[in-house]
Every structure is written in C-alpha cells, then in structure tokens.
C-alpha cells in the first residue's frame, strides 16, 4: 500500500523544472529543491580548486531539465581545494622559481630583496610558506631574493682643500667612479678641490659615483 501511494504521488504530482543549485551550500540546496518538490541525494565530495568546502559543484539532472514532482536530484559537494606540499626553491634563480610556481597553480607571489654572502644575485634565499609546508592551491608565496654580497660601506671623506692627486689617493679602494670638474676660479692654488658631491660624512657604498670640482692646474 505504501509503495502504491508513493507511486501515485510521484506520477500525479505534475512536472517541475530542475533549478540550478550549483554553488549553493547543502542547506541552501535542500531548501531550493524542496520548494520545487524535489529530493536531494548526496553522491559525495570531490576536491575543487575554486569552490569552498560544502558547496554544490555538480548536479544530475542539470538545471533546466523537466522532471516529475518528488523526483531526486543527485549532487556532488566540494571538499575544498586539494592540498600540496611546498617545494624547496632555495638556490633557484628567481625566474625559474616563478616558472615553477605557475606550474603548481599557486597564487600571487611577492619578492623581497636582501644581501647575502652565500647566495648569488637573483637566487632565492628563503620563501614563505617554507619547504615541505602543506598549502592550498592559490595560496600566496613570498620569496626572499639575494642581491649578492653586501658592498662595502663608508662615509664620504672631506676632500675640500686637498689636491686632486691626494683626493684620488684618499678614495682609492672605495670607488673608481670619480668625475673631476675643472673650475676657472683663480683665487685658489692649482689642482685644489673646491667642491665635492656628495658632501663630507654622507654614507656611501663601494662603487658609488663621486664628483669633485678642482681648480685648473
């Protein structure tokens, strides 16, 4: 008798159009189907790169199809993005690391730079998340990239009043990028430094550009 009653309800309930429940959570999908006199049957969960966990990612029959009232709609829920283990990019060139990251479907990557004695310029010193950490596809990654060895630092000496030859001797070992401008001012002796850029005491790194103005020989 129960089977007969159920059959009569199904066959006499009329036709309904299956709604679209893709993207809805389980509670929302149940409510949408019940409003159309349809049942929900859960088929399980699958990983999905974009859909959050618990969201409907597939339905059968699909939306728009016509079914009898009280028919079933089978749905598949998202288990969230699959997880993967972060590779070790230390020592990679930053261009190679960028290429590998794109192949792994990781999200945006950021770059920070610092000097390092053991890593050549452009090599990855470290990254976050670190090697072996479990991450979700689409996660952001930050690379710390080497600028190479840190150049020597010094303070600009006071060259005013010395000869150009003495200025060369003072700066020897700090920089070879010294530009000399000859001034026509006459009230100083020949070959005397009367101006300098940067000024005395200014912090400089090895190889910095220095400009001095000297009187004519």
């Amino acid at each position: 008798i129960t089977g007969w009653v159920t059959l009569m309800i199904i066959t006499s309930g009329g036709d309904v159009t299956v709604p679209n429940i893709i993207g809805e959570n389980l509670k929302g999908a149940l409510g949408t189907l019940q409003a159309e006199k349809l049942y929900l049957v859960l088929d399980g969960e699958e990983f999905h790169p974009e859909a959050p966990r618990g969201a409907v990612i597939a339905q059968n029959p699909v939306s728009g199809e016509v079914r009898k009232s009280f028919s079933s709609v089978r749905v598949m829920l998202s288990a969230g993005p699959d997880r993967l283990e972060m590779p070790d990019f230390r020592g990679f060139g930053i261009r190679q690391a960028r290429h590998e990251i794109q192949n792994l479907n990781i999200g945006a990557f950021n770059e920070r730079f610092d000097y390092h004695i053991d890593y050549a310029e452009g090599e990855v010193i470290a990254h976050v998340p670190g090697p072996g950490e479990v991450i979700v596809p689409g996660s952001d990654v930050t690379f710390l990239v080497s600028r190479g060895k840190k150049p020597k630092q010094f303070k600009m000496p006071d060259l005013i009043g010395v000869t150009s030859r003495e200025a060369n001797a003072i700066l020897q070992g700090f920089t070879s990028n010294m530009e000399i401008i000859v001034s026509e001012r006459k009230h100083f002796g020949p070959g005397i430094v009367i101006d300098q850029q940067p000024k005395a005491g200014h912090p400089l790194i090895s190889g910095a550009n220095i400009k001095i103005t000297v009187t004519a020989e």
Side-chain angles (χ1 to χ4, degrees), residues 48-50 80-84 104-107 135-140:
H48 194 281
E50 297 178 358
D82 196 2
R83 297 178 180 272
L84 55 88
L104 291 174
N105 191 29
I106 291 177
I135 59 174
V136 175
S139 299
D140 293 347

Side-chain angles (χ1 to χ4, degrees), residues 17 35-36 41 68 83 94 100 106 111 149 178 180 182:
T17 301
E36 299 296 332
V41 176
K68 291 292 184 181
R83 297 178 180 272
I94 185 59
E100 296 292 336
I106 291 177
E111 298 173 15
K149 294 182 179 180
M178 184 172 71
I180 299 177
V182 178

Side-chain angles (χ1 to χ4, degrees), residues 174-187:
F174 291 118
T175 183
S176 58
N177 301 324
M178 184 172 71
E179 179 183 355
I180 299 177
I181 301 173
V182 178
S183 171
E184 297 300 326
R185 296 173 67 177
K186 302 296 186 181
H187 55 281

Side-chain angles (χ1 to χ4, degrees), residues 11 13-14 16 22 29 49 54-55 59 62 66 74 88 99 118-119 126 129 145-147 152 161 169 176 194 212:
T11 56
V16 295
I22 300 296
Q59 66 177 82
V62 297
V66 177
R74 309 188 74 88
D88 188 353
H99 177 72
D118 295 326
Y119 288 87
V145 184
S146 174
R147 295 185 184 273
K152 293 180 181 179
S176 58
I194 59 175
I212 64 173

Side-chain angles (χ1 to χ4, degrees), residues 1-216:
I1 295 174
T2 302
W4 180 80
V5 171
T6 302
L7 180 63
M8 290 297 296
I9 292 174
I10 293 175
T11 56
S12 63
D15 294 335
V16 295
T17 301
V18 177
N20 181 19
I21 55 173
I22 300 296
E24 294 191 28
N25 59 29
L26 183 58
K27 182 178 180 180
L30 278 169
T32 300
L33 293 178
Q34 287 175 355
E36 299 296 332
K37 299 181 180 179
L38 294 169
Y39 292 114
L40 184 149
V41 176
L42 183 61
D43 276 344
E45 293 183 334
E46 290 182 352
F47 291 115
H48 194 281
E50 297 178 358
R53 185 170 186 176
V56 176
I57 55 175
Q59 66 177 82
N60 183 26
V62 297
S63 63
E65 291 193 16
V66 177
R67 290 289 187 273
K68 291 292 184 181
S69 297
F70 308 106
S71 299
S72 297
V73 177
R74 309 188 74 88
V75 303
M76 180 69 68
L77 299 182
S78 170
D82 196 2
R83 297 178 180 272
L84 55 88
E85 189 174 286
M86 183 70 179
D88 188 353
F89 289 109
R90 292 174 297 183
F92 279 51
I94 185 59
R95 291 182 181 178
Q96 183 182 3
R98 291 192 199 114
H99 177 72
E100 296 292 336
I101 283 294
Q102 291 173 351
N103 289 341
L104 291 174
N105 191 29
I106 291 177
F109 54 85
N110 307 296
E111 298 173 15
R112 304 288 184 267
F113 297 87
D114 201 0
Y115 297 105
H116 201 286
I117 191 171
D118 295 326
Y119 288 87
E121 184 176 358
E123 289 184 345
V124 176
I125 302 170
H127 50 80
V128 177
E133 291 189 27
V134 176
I135 59 174
V136 175
S139 299
D140 293 347
V141 176
T142 299
F143 289 111
L144 179 61
V145 184
S146 174
R147 295 185 184 273
K149 294 182 179 180
K150 190 172 184 178
K152 293 180 181 179
Q153 294 181 319
F154 63 100
K155 289 185 178 181
M156 181 67 182
D158 187 358
L159 303 176
I160 303 300
V162 305
T163 67
S164 58
R165 293 179 179 82
E166 291 171 332
N168 264 318
I170 293 171
L171 295 175
Q172 189 173 12
F174 291 118
T175 183
S176 58
N177 301 324
M178 184 172 71
E179 179 183 355
I180 299 177
I181 301 173
V182 178
S183 171
E184 297 300 326
R185 296 173 67 177
K186 302 296 186 181
H187 55 281
F188 291 94
I192 301 299
V193 178
I194 59 175
D195 191 22
Q196 65 179 65
Q197 293 295 332
K199 301 299 184 183
H202 191 280
L204 295 176
I205 61 173
S206 180
N209 294 320
I210 294 174
K211 183 186 296 185
I212 64 173
T213 302
V214 301
T215 56

